[in-house]
Amino acid sequence: MDILFIEDDAIETMKFQRTLSKLNSKHKLIEARNGEEALEFLQSEKKLPDVILLDLNMPRMNGIEFLGKLKQHDKIKYLPTVVLTTSENRDDLLECYKIGIAGYIIKPLKYEDYEAKLKTVLEYWSINELVKA
């Protein structure tokens, strides 16, 4: 499974990479530091990811702005997008679901809990029938 991981925090990115390596997964990781960089990748001629994991709080283009632009493009609007954030703001949650996300996960503070949540998410999407572009 190809995963587009959109996250501006280098520590969070390292944590995600560490989790993937511990899972001994064969997933391919594509990284973007913000929504603009992610859209640029998605609109290029490169192979599209199977799933997107998205942080909300980012500079230049935040996660909600990214989702709005993603859903305007016929080629990429159906890519399953899971929000992975620290935001427990109910307005953020509702707005993301209104736009059409596939899931909303609050990043736990303990690394073991983070690892367990991500393992579950990746296992779930690995068994889904995904839109292949």
Side-chain angles (χ1 to χ4, degrees):
M1 189 168 68
D2 292 348
I3 303 164
L4 175 57
F5 184 67
I6 310 169
E7 172 65 65
D8 66 310
D9 187 314
I11 292 171
E12 288 295 325
T13 299
M14 288 180 355
K15 188 164 71 171
F16 186 77
Q17 291 168 338
R18 179 180 171 201
T19 300
L20 272 185
S21 69
K22 286 178 103 179
L23 297 176
N24 293 320
S25 68
K26 303 243 187 289
H27 303 303
K28 178 183 174 197
L29 182 61
I30 305 147
E31 297 175 18
R33 291 182 299 270
N34 58 57
E36 287 179 357
E37 196 176 297
L39 279 176
E40 193 175 294
F41 172 81
L42 291 168
Q43 293 171 340
S44 73
E45 296 301 314
K46 296 179 179 152
K47 181 178 181 268
L48 291 175
D50 298 303
V51 67
I52 300 170
L53 296 179
L54 170 69
D55 184 30
L56 285 186
N57 302 312
M58 295 180 294
R60 297 175 72 180
M61 179 188 293
N62 70 34
I64 292 175
E65 292 168 329
F66 168 81
L67 286 168
K69 293 198 179 288
L70 176 79
K71 297 303 180 181
Q72 292 174 3
H73 292 274
D74 287 337
K75 180 182 170 191
I76 58 178
K77 69 182 177 182
Y78 295 112
L79 291 173
T81 304
V82 177
V83 172
L84 184 61
T85 186
T86 56
S87 176
E88 296 184 40
N89 182 324
R90 183 159 170 76
D91 291 338
D92 285 347
L93 174 85
L94 293 173
E95 184 62 24
C96 288
Y97 275 112
K98 185 171 108 181
I99 293 170
I101 61 165
Y104 193 98
I105 298 166
I106 308 274
K107 295 176 191 170
L109 294 175
K110 285 178 56 183
Y111 176 74
E112 294 77 18
D113 296 338
Y114 176 87
E115 192 177 275
K117 279 188 176 187
L118 280 181
K119 180 179 183 207
T120 302
V121 168
L122 295 176
E123 285 174 350
Y124 174 79
W125 286 106
S126 292
I127 62 170
N128 266 275
E129 294 300 320
L130 298 169
V131 177
K132 298 291 182 184

